[in-house]
């Protein structure tokens, strides 16, 4: 038997049996890696379907405690809340963001009251509340003003934290907002409220279904390219992450997910904070549309896709498939 008659290294040996594949798996996906985004609306006993996100609903506040317990039972550690704001509560300055009785605050209180061991994450940005659909305050020319927006975001984050948010997640991409929010939380003795910074948030076409879900689609004037990142850039994402960590972020996020897996990997390699990826509405919609058309096997692709984020170095993934994936993983 000489070398050349057979392969010196047989890579398939480790793959042959299920027990061996389990033994040598380099990454694990568990329900503890998932954050479940949930849309909230007013009313009672309503689960309203979202046309562009089949299987996802806008839930009235009274339904949220049950979803919180469902997350706990499935082993999903955190829920992210997004409000669908009625048109009459939208204004140029997004003042509803500061209302201690707004939809998100009521949702937080109702969910907190369950006592479930599930973290609650809230989005800090003005777009659910502005009549122009931007994440900040705009001047007459349509320019999104940075520093006055940061003042509003600080108020919004405090409002959420006082109502029970465990993690505030600024998704607005204004400069300096993480530091300002951190200082305000400290000054208000909210030392243990985490900041998960949407550090590398790209101006993306994949947010389309989300904007339908929160009712912002029809409002948005122009686009968000003046503050969200350009998909052509990667090194810029590393600068954004470094700044947010220096300003006091506890964890950072890359968003969208799949088209930016290279960014997830680079951030995870370079920095020692937990990195999350947001597999956004458009990514969810792509999978669901292909599954509905009979083109893909949902269970297989959902787990494969979420495992990819873990392989790239993410601590966890925000995904609308969270409950489905958790059920699969729990067997
Ligand atoms: C709001 C916000 C957006 C998303 C999360 N927070 C939309 C946007 O920036 O326009 C998108 C999430 C998704 O598409 O699933 N600032």
């Amino acid at each position: 038997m000489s070398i050349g008659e057979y392969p010196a290294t047989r890579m398939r040996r480790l793959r042959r049996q299920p027990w061996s594949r389990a033994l040598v798996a380099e990454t694990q996906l568990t329900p503890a890696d998932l954050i479940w985004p949930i849309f909230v609306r007013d009313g009672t006993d309503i689960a309203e379907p979202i046309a562009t996100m089949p299987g996802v609903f806008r839930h009235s506040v009274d339904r949220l405690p049950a979803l919180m317990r469902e997350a706990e039972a499935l082993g999903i550690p955190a829920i992210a809340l997004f409000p669908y704001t009625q048109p009459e509560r939208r204004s140029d300055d997004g003042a509803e963001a500061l209302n201690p009785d707004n939809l998100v605050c009521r949702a937080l209180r109702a969910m907190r009251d369950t006592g479930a061991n599930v973290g609650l994450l809230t989005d800090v940005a003005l777009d659910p509340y502005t009549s122009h659909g931007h994440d900040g305050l705009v001047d007459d020319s349509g320019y999104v003003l940075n520093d006055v927006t940061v003042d509003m975001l600080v108020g919004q984050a405090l409002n959420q934290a006082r109502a029970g948010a465990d993690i505030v997640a600024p998704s607005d991409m204004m400069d300096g907002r993480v530091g300002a929010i951190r200082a305000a939380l400290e000054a208000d003795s909210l030392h243990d409220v985490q900041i998960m910074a949407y550090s590398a948030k790209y101006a993306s076409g994949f947010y389309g279904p989300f904007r339908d879900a929160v009712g912002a689609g029809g409002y948005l004037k122009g686009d968000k390219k003046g503050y969200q990142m350009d998909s052509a850039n990667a090194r810029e994402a590393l600068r954004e992450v470094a700044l947010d960590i220096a300003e006091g972020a506890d964890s950072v996020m890359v968003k969208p997910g799949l088209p930016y897996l290279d960014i997830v990997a680079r951030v995870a390699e370079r920095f020692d904070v937990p990195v999350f990826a947001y597999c956004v509405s458009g990514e969810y919609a792509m999978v669901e549309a292909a599954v509905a058309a009979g083109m893909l096997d949902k269970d297989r692709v959902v787990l494969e896709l979420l495992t990819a984020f873990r392989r790239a170095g993410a601590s966890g993934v925000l995904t609308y498939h969270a409950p489905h994936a958790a059920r699969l993983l729990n067997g």
Side-chain angles (χ1 to χ4, degrees):
M1 277 201 302
S2 63
I3 290 278
E5 283 173 27
Y6 57 87
T9 304
R10 292 190 185 271
M11 295 299 287
R12 294 178 55 191
R13 206 176 280 136
L14 294 172
R15 296 178 199 140
R16 172 99 193 245
Q17 303 286 355
W19 63 261
S20 180
R21 293 196 291 271
L23 191 64
V24 303
E26 295 176 37
T27 48
Q28 312 288 341
L29 177 71
T30 76
D33 304 317
L34 307 175
I35 298 176
W36 181 9
I38 291 180
F39 297 106
V40 190
R41 55 156 294 155
D42 64 341
T44 310
D45 196 22
I46 302 172
E48 181 187 12
I50 298 161
T52 50
M53 300 180 73
V56 176
F57 300 85
R58 300 184 191 109
H59 298 274
S60 51
V61 173
D62 59 299
R63 294 176 53 87
L64 300 177
L67 297 177
M68 179 102 164
R69 282 186 219 99
E70 184 179 343
E72 186 180 44
L74 288 169
I76 296 172
I79 286 175
L81 292 171
F82 295 96
Y84 171 81
T85 308
Q86 303 122 282
E88 61 273 20
R89 294 197 170 267
R90 288 179 175 270
S91 59
D92 275 357
D93 64 358
E96 179 67 7
L98 307 181
N99 174 3
D101 269 321
N102 70 22
L103 207 43
V104 165
C105 293
R106 280 186 281 130
L108 286 166
R109 286 193 290 266
M111 295 169 94
R112 205 55 322 141
D113 283 349
T114 63
N117 178 32
V118 174
L120 295 174
L121 180 152
T122 51
D123 208 67
V124 182
L126 299 183
D127 58 327
Y129 309 110
T130 52
S131 40
H132 43 71
H134 280 289
D135 292 8
L137 304 174
V138 296
D139 69 11
D140 291 343
S141 72
Y143 175 72
V144 177
L145 298 160
N146 195 86
D147 300 4
V148 287
T149 295
V150 170
D151 290 342
M152 281 292 286
L153 298 170
V154 165
Q156 181 183 23
L158 282 175
N159 191 32
Q160 295 168 346
R162 288 175 186 149
D166 300 291
I167 307 175
V168 292
S171 72
D172 52 282
M173 293 300 278
M174 298 301 120
D175 289 317
R177 89 278 206 220
V178 171
I181 290 170
R182 172 56 75 210
L185 291 172
E186 290 289 343
D188 212 55
S189 297
L190 293 160
H191 312 290
D192 290 330
V193 173
Q194 299 180 23
I195 299 177
M196 182 187 291
Y198 284 74
S199 298
K201 176 169 179 179
Y202 288 84
S204 171
F206 289 100
Y207 305 149
F210 174 96
R211 291 180 189 163
D212 287 344
V214 297
Y219 295 95
L220 185 61
K221 297 199 176 71
D223 58 44
K224 299 190 177 182
K225 292 181 180 171
Y227 45 107
Q228 298 180 346
M229 283 186 55
D230 182 345
S231 62
N233 297 352
R235 294 192 315 140
E236 186 184 332
L238 302 177
R239 289 187 73 198
E240 285 280 8
V241 169
L243 277 169
D244 286 351
I245 294 172
E247 290 179 30
D250 300 284
S251 58
V252 297
M253 196 203 294
V254 174
K255 175 185 178 191
L258 287 183
Y260 299 89
L261 266 187
D262 58 325
I263 310 297
V264 176
R266 286 173 72 166
V267 171
E269 199 151 297
R270 173 91 64 102
F271 299 97
D272 292 327
V273 297
V275 180
F276 292 87
Y278 197 145
C279 190
V280 301
S281 57
E283 302 176 69
Y284 174 88
M286 283 198 301
V287 170
E288 289 299 317
V291 168
M295 294 173 178
L296 291 175
D297 173 341
K298 175 164 171 172
D299 295 356
R300 276 199 72 174
V301 299
V302 165
L303 293 184
E304 181 176 337
L305 202 149
L306 296 176
T307 300
F309 290 105
R310 298 282 293 142
R311 192 185 63 239
S315 291
V317 193
L318 288 92
T319 169
Y320 302 95
H321 281 120
H324 185 78
R327 263 180 226 109
L328 293 174
L329 292 166
N330 290 329

